[in-house]
Amino acid sequence: MTNLSRIKWEPAYSVHVEILDAQHKKLFDTVNHLMDVFESGSADFLPAINGLIEYISVHFHQEHLVMMNAKYPAFLSHSKEHQKFIEKVEGFIESYQAGDRDLGLNMVSYMKEWVRDHTTKLDMQYAEFLLKNAPPTRQP
């Protein structure tokens, strides 16, 4: 059995929106849990994947709201990356349910890499935009 390295959220990955940072931390934890379940050979693998998908859908929705409210110019391309992820994972799940058990490692590896790379690279682009375009703080 392959031991996969775990991912760790760092303060440097902050997007400067408290709810999104909290969700990103939980995503990292959820992906690490998925790897634990996969490596244990537990029958809870598919439910763990479904739990990740449900949570990531909630997160994508929240992230979309923040980007739309901020009028982030790259919102459409960013949301397309979210959609591609969902489609790829749905394909993995369909193949896995159809009996392709060898897909487990590829699926877990893909999810880990995508969550880490998306959060630490692509999300940093809107984080920078939000910082530069934040409304000025009102002084009393």
Side-chain angles (χ1 to χ4, degrees), residues 23-138:
Q23 288 177 348
H24 285 157
K25 288 174 194 173
K26 184 171 177 179
L27 273 177
F28 275 51
D29 291 344
T30 304
V31 167
N32 288 334
H33 172 71
L34 179 63
M35 288 188 279
D36 292 342
V37 171
F38 173 74
E39 289 175 350
S40 74
S42 169
D44 291 336
F45 184 57
L46 209 50
I49 289 170
N50 287 329
L52 174 61
I53 298 309
E54 286 173 23
Y55 187 73
I56 213 161
S57 296
V58 168
H59 169 65
F60 286 170
H61 177 72
Q62 185 68 51
E63 206 171 63
H64 290 175
L65 290 175
V66 168
M67 287 188 278
M68 286 188 302
N69 288 337
K71 296 178 175 43
Y72 178 54
F75 167 70
L76 284 178
S77 63
H78 194 109
S79 64
K80 281 181 188 168
E81 291 301 313
H82 290 171
Q83 189 57 40
K84 282 189 223 172
F85 172 81
I86 295 291
E87 289 168 6
K88 177 91 170 169
V89 172
E90 284 173 347
F92 275 136
I93 291 171
E94 285 173 19
S95 296
Y96 188 82
Q97 287 176 323
D100 189 349
R101 296 297 184 238
D102 295 336
L103 264 182
L105 178 61
N106 291 338
M107 186 177 356
V108 171
S109 296
Y110 172 79
M111 292 173 140
K112 176 185 106 168
E113 300 293 322
W114 191 93
V115 167
R116 185 193 61 220
D117 290 348
H118 183 85
T119 303
T120 62
K121 295 175 184 160
L122 203 60
D123 285 354
M124 290 298 103
Q125 294 171 7
Y126 79 72
E128 187 177 319
F129 175 84
L130 292 174
L131 274 181
K132 287 180 180 173
N133 296 282
T137 308
R138 293 182 180 205

